Amino acid sequence: MTYNDLLTEISDIRKISVAMKNSPVINTKLEMFGLYTEDIVRLIKKYKEIDLNSFELDKYYEINYIYIAIGLIQNKNIEKQYEFLLKNFSHIDSWAITDSTFKYLEFKKFEEQLVYVKKLIESKEDFLMRYGYLILFKYIKEENFKIIFNLLKNDEKYYIQDRSKAFDIVLQNIQLYSVVIDILDDPMFAHLLQAFDERIKEGYDKEYTLN
């Protein structure tokens, strides 16, 4: 199956109404064919062996989405996937692509994955960083909490976006609160510590009221 076959199939199922509805939500600068998510996922599966060099990128959102997803599928280990993302992140212009293609990444033991997570976060490129944080939260559990929280604390934008997951972990095991205090033991993090205090108080007040 070729890139022209893919375009023909897209033309047969595209819906202008879907494009008009999704464009403001997806927040992409690219044009949209107007495909339902389930159709995109089906096309990714059907064309997973397509020649990526045949793609014409950066005109249509769905084409870039399919390209990134198939690129991750064809690069079968995390090292090659990291190299692919590093080379192609310029073709991502929406959180919808990162959050939807994240599932095609390979997942290893946390310690092995951490090497690439750190590289993604330290890249300072928004969409690479997003992949890094999405990977982190797949591993968020008590034994990994300190490492994950340390990686999050210096990035205010993503911390605000995802900190509710960290709050939930602390609420499930209040002993982890001492870990939070140690990590945020600096005046520059006072506002984050206050946010934790308020969220934990809110959580326990709610539990007390229910009981």
Side-chain angles (χ1 to χ4, degrees):
M1 288 178 285
T2 68
Y3 182 66
N4 284 334
D5 293 332
L6 174 62
L7 290 179
T8 299
E9 190 162 352
I10 287 173
S11 296
D12 290 341
I13 61 175
R14 66 181 300 190
K15 296 183 182 296
I16 302 301
S17 60
V18 173
M20 292 176 65
K21 179 181 177 181
N22 287 349
S23 186
V25 178
I26 290 174
N27 193 28
T28 177
K29 296 177 182 177
L30 302 176
E31 296 179 51
M32 296 190 70
F33 283 118
L35 301 181
Y36 290 113
T37 301
E38 56 265 32
D39 287 326
I40 297 175
V41 172
R42 179 182 58 79
L43 290 171
I44 290 167
K45 184 176 181 180
K46 182 175 180 179
Y47 288 88
K48 63 183 179 181
E49 296 181 2
I50 195 173
D51 179 7
L52 289 176
N53 292 321
S54 64
F55 273 63
E56 297 175 9
L57 297 168
D58 302 327
K59 182 175 182 181
Y60 288 100
Y61 160 80
E62 291 93 343
I63 293 296
N64 282 31
Y65 178 162
I66 292 169
Y67 173 83
I68 294 294
I70 293 177
L72 292 175
I73 291 170
Q74 290 185 2
N75 290 278
K76 299 183 184 300
N77 65 64
I78 188 61
E79 183 177 359
K80 290 182 178 179
Q81 289 176 335
Y82 168 75
E83 291 172 356
F84 173 79
L85 288 175
L86 202 62
K87 182 179 178 180
N88 290 284
F89 72 88
S90 63
H91 304 306
I92 303 172
D93 83 327
S94 169
W95 299 128
I97 293 181
T98 58
D99 293 11
S100 298
T101 59
F102 156 73
K103 65 183 179 182
Y104 298 110
L105 290 169
E106 179 192 44
F107 294 98
K108 294 186 172 185
K109 292 181 179 179
F110 180 64
E111 295 75 15
E112 298 175 63
Q113 204 82 17
L114 201 56
V115 175
Y116 298 99
V117 168
K118 287 180 177 178
K119 289 180 179 180
L120 290 166
I121 293 174
E122 290 168 1
S123 72
K124 301 303 179 185
E125 297 288 348
D126 280 353
F127 296 110
L128 291 180
M129 292 171 70
R130 179 66 177 171
Y131 277 112
Y133 288 122
L134 288 170
I135 294 169
L136 273 186
F137 280 105
K138 188 169 179 69
Y139 293 92
I140 192 163
K141 54 180 75 173
E142 291 177 16
E143 57 264 37
N144 303 330
F145 182 83
K146 187 172 183 178
I147 295 171
I148 291 173
F149 197 84
N150 261 314
L151 288 169
L152 277 175
K153 72 176 184 181
N154 290 312
D155 194 329
E156 186 71 5
K157 177 169 62 175
Y158 287 94
Y159 177 79
I160 289 171
Q161 198 170 54
D162 290 317
R163 68 185 176 188
S164 62
K165 297 177 184 178
F167 285 144
D168 290 341
I169 293 292
V170 175
L171 284 170
Q172 291 165 18
N173 184 353
I174 197 60
Q175 293 179 347
L176 290 174
Y177 185 60
S178 61
V179 175
V180 174
I181 293 174
D182 288 342
I183 293 172
L184 300 181
D185 186 22
D186 188 300
M188 70 181 290
F189 297 125
H191 62 300
L192 300 184
L193 190 57
Q194 181 181 356
F196 256 100
D197 286 339
E198 292 173 356
R199 177 66 178 86
I200 288 170
K201 183 177 184 301
E202 176 187 326
Y204 277 95
D205 285 350
K206 182 178 180 181
E207 183 178 348
Y208 180 78
T209 300
L210 291 173
N211 292 332

